[in-house]
Amino acid sequence: MTAQVEREFDVIVIGAGAVGENVADRVVRGGLTAVLVEAELVGGECSYWACMPSKALLRPGTALHGAQTVPGAKEAVTRTLDAAAVLKRRDHFTSNWKDDSQVQWVEDTGIELIRGRGRISAPRRVEVAGRDGNSYALTARHAVVLATGSIPTRPPVEGLDDIPYWTTREATSAREVPARLGVLGGGVAGVELAQAYARLGASVTLVARHGLLGVFPEQAAELVAAGLRADGVELRLNTGTRSVSKNDDGSLTVVLDGGAGGGQDGAAPESGRAAETSLTVDKLLVATGRHPALDGLGLDSVGLAAPEGKHLRISTDSTGLVHHAAENETSPWLYAAGDAAGRALLTHQGKYGARATGDAIAARAKGELTGEPAPWTSFAQTAYDHAVPNVVFTDPELTNVGRTLAQAEKDGYRASTVELPIEVAGSSLHAEHYDGWAQLVIDEDRRVLLGATFAGPDVAELLHSATIAVVGEVPLDRLWHAVPSYPTISEVWLRLLEEYGL
């Protein structure tokens, strides 16, 4: 028997992924009441279908390859990956797709949880179709926060609606390794999962309309491309996908539209053989981007609607307040955090923004914050504009933070770069034939870092020092005194500064 339940909270958070959890945690710490509304698993995409399971699939292959690159260790490595053991370990990191521990954390933190699908019906009002059969009418005294994450963007490929295909969810939760895997998309998810499955024994073909990892410097992206080729991944770059269809035996035929399979620039393969116009696979992973999951949230009821034929996107201020909501500007109430806000679709960055949003909501409720906060305070998401760290967990890894040279010049900086291969004592000890690359982007007027990129085995651990330097605007003359320990890969910092002229 269903019931209509009316409840009132200080803050309603729609979405109980990592971002929603952080918003709710911060407002409760600030003395407010909060409820999380979640239609699926508490913990969200990152815990069950993205960050954790994908890295669990990648790490065993990276560890094995790392051993194979060090003389003395490589002679002891006589086996390939045990796919069943890798999948079992992946299951452990997803808690077997059960959210009991995260639900317990919510309860222990003093946050309420309502399982169901939430929809805004009016300013500060959220209706929830509860999974328990009840209907909930919730009222927020101070804020409603959209923390609904993002969903895959489906490309306009003929026949795609008529076949069973993988998104990242199916790829990260698969129970077996397909013999032949096709991957559409040359972004982070595409390259990571292509390599993971190649190392688990699949024959993988990756098709990208352009090159790989186009937001990164070409020299860095090419190292990842070389790593994929070394693992047997066939790259069809600068190649469109015309259509897909299902065959009688259950396999899929993917018809391609131009391009070639050879290099990062789409040049012909070394053999001179033109790329084939189709390929046959057992599974097809579509990893062609994501967009904020804002459909079906009732945002039209507060003046937010998507242009015809397009996905809804919203903009926010530095605290997460949504612009252009149909509400008196002196009494703001609608916020968005994480992927839902559409800025940097990265879990760590979303959690950072969520902490600022939660703190700002609590401060405004107490009258301690009016208007927009000053940059770099605990209420402002200033790092979104200056220092978003990003890691591609392939082997070799690819990391960057801050602006590229093109972005710096577009933003009006008088910028320059310094780049070098990573050839230091630490890299030579780390692996035989270590191949890496590093770049710094420098503001010539202030002589501080605007950005940094590193590519190579295990360079992710170099990234946080770069993030600190960019956020802290450390002058290069002072950075020169940050002496890297010897012999570590971090010595590349010294070589870069020397190359610059310090």
Side-chain angles (χ1 to χ4, degrees):
M1 185 173 181
T2 63
Q4 175 79 23
V5 181
E6 295 210 10
R7 300 287 306 279
E8 188 175 50
F9 299 90
D10 290 326
V11 180
I12 302 168
V13 183
I14 305 178
V19 169
E21 289 175 328
N22 272 265
V23 172
D25 180 42
R26 301 301 279 214
V27 298
V28 167
R29 289 190 192 190
L32 305 183
T33 61
V35 60
L36 286 166
V37 177
E38 177 55 58
E40 296 187 287
L41 295 176
V42 176
E45 206 76 17
C46 180
S47 295
Y48 306 104
W49 300 287
C51 316
M52 296 307 293
S54 66
K55 304 321 171 267
L57 291 173
L58 282 160
R59 177 57 191 163
T62 301
L64 177 62
H65 184 247
Q68 292 169 335
T69 62
V70 180
K74 67 180 181 181
E75 289 79 7
V77 178
T78 59
R79 299 177 59 187
T80 58
L81 287 178
D82 183 327
V86 173
L87 296 179
K88 182 177 180 181
R89 184 172 185 265
R90 181 273 319 269
D91 293 350
H92 167 74
F93 278 100
T94 62
S95 300
N96 289 291
W97 291 275
K98 296 178 181 178
D99 62 1
D100 298 6
S101 62
Q102 303 225 34
V103 170
Q104 187 63 54
W105 175 86
V106 169
E107 294 174 353
D108 292 345
T109 308
I111 303 165
E112 290 207 38
L113 171 67
I114 296 177
R115 292 187 181 271
R117 194 163 297 280
R119 184 179 186 280
I120 294 173
S121 58
R124 294 182 174 81
R125 295 279 292 178
V126 174
E127 296 178 352
V128 182
R131 282 168 50 180
D132 59 3
N134 294 324
S135 175
Y136 294 84
L138 309 180
T139 300
R141 299 184 191 95
H142 296 292
V144 174
V145 184
L146 307 176
T148 48
S150 61
I151 57 177
T153 299
R154 188 181 63 209
V157 174
E158 180 183 342
L160 195 59
D161 291 342
D162 303 322
I163 65 154
Y165 64 89
W166 280 0
T167 65
T168 49
R169 279 199 170 197
E170 289 76 22
T172 55
S173 60
R175 309 311 308 176
E176 59 184 21
V177 178
R180 298 167 297 183
L181 174 65
V183 178
L184 301 187
V188 175
V191 297
E192 285 186 349
L193 291 168
Q195 186 170 56
Y197 273 94
R199 288 182 164 182
L200 287 169
S203 175
V204 180
T205 302
L206 184 148
V207 181
R209 182 170 294 278
H210 304 292
L212 292 185
L213 301 168
V215 298
F216 293 90
E218 184 176 348
Q219 298 95 319
E222 177 53 39
L223 289 179
V224 175
L228 292 175
R229 294 191 197 99
D231 286 322
V233 178
E234 183 178 358
L235 300 181
R236 303 286 187 90
L237 306 182
N238 300 297
T239 300
T241 303
R242 185 180 305 169
S243 66
V244 295
S245 58
K246 188 174 182 179
N247 303 318
D248 292 340
D249 63 357
S251 65
L252 304 172
T253 295
V254 184
V255 178
L256 306 178
D257 187 15
Q264 170 73 359
D265 59 358
E270 289 79 357
S271 64
R273 175 180 61 82
E276 295 176 2
T277 58
S278 67
L279 61 125
T280 301
V281 297
D282 299 298
K283 297 291 182 182
L284 179 67
L285 166 60
V286 178
T288 51
R290 301 179 69 86
H291 62 272
L294 299 174
D295 294 337
L297 294 179
L299 292 172
D300 54 338
S301 69
V302 291
L304 293 166
E308 186 175 351
K310 295 186 178 180
H311 299 293
L312 175 61
R313 292 185 180 274
I314 56 180
S315 63
T316 64
D317 73 0
S318 66
T319 67
L321 265 175
V322 176
H323 293 140
H324 308 306
E327 176 74 357
N328 188 329
E329 291 183 2
T330 62
S331 182
W333 63 276
L334 182 61
Y335 293 75
D339 287 12
R343 300 188 75 180
L345 307 190
L346 297 163
T347 297
H348 52 269
Q349 201 69 23
K351 291 163 69 175
Y352 157 80
R355 294 190 291 271
T357 292
D359 286 350
I361 291 170
R364 284 184 172 129
K366 299 173 186 175
E368 297 172 353
L369 174 65
T370 58
E372 283 211 43
W376 301 116
T377 60
S378 62
F379 309 128
Q381 303 169 17
T382 313
Y384 270 113
D385 300 320
H386 299 281
V388 176
N390 190 16
V391 180
V392 184
F393 286 91
T394 47
D395 183 15
E397 291 174 335
L398 173 52
T399 72
N400 78 334
V401 63
R403 293 171 171 85
T404 64
L405 178 62
Q407 290 167 338
E409 291 176 341
K410 181 180 178 181
D411 290 343
Y413 291 95
R414 189 171 68 89
S416 68
T417 64
V418 56
E419 54 263 330
L420 286 172
I422 299 178
E423 296 176 350
V424 293
S427 62
S428 64
L429 285 167
H430 189 86
E432 195 173 32
H433 309 302
Y434 188 102
D435 195 4
W437 184 82
Q439 180 191 68
L440 302 180
V441 179
I442 297 164
D443 178 352
E444 289 292 347
D445 292 323
R446 295 181 300 154
R447 285 173 62 86
V448 299
L449 290 188
L450 294 171
T453 298
F454 302 100
D458 295 317
V459 295
E461 299 305 328
L462 296 177
L463 186 60
H464 195 56
S465 55
T467 303
I468 291 170
V470 173
V471 169
E473 298 181 330
V474 181
L476 296 186
D477 291 340
R478 177 61 63 88
L479 193 59
W480 171 254
H481 294 280
V483 181
S485 56
Y486 182 89
T488 66
I489 299 174
S490 293
E491 194 181 8
V492 71
W493 278 96
L494 172 59
R495 301 295 167 235
L496 286 163
L497 293 173
E498 287 177 333
E499 181 72 12
Y500 181 69
L502 292 176

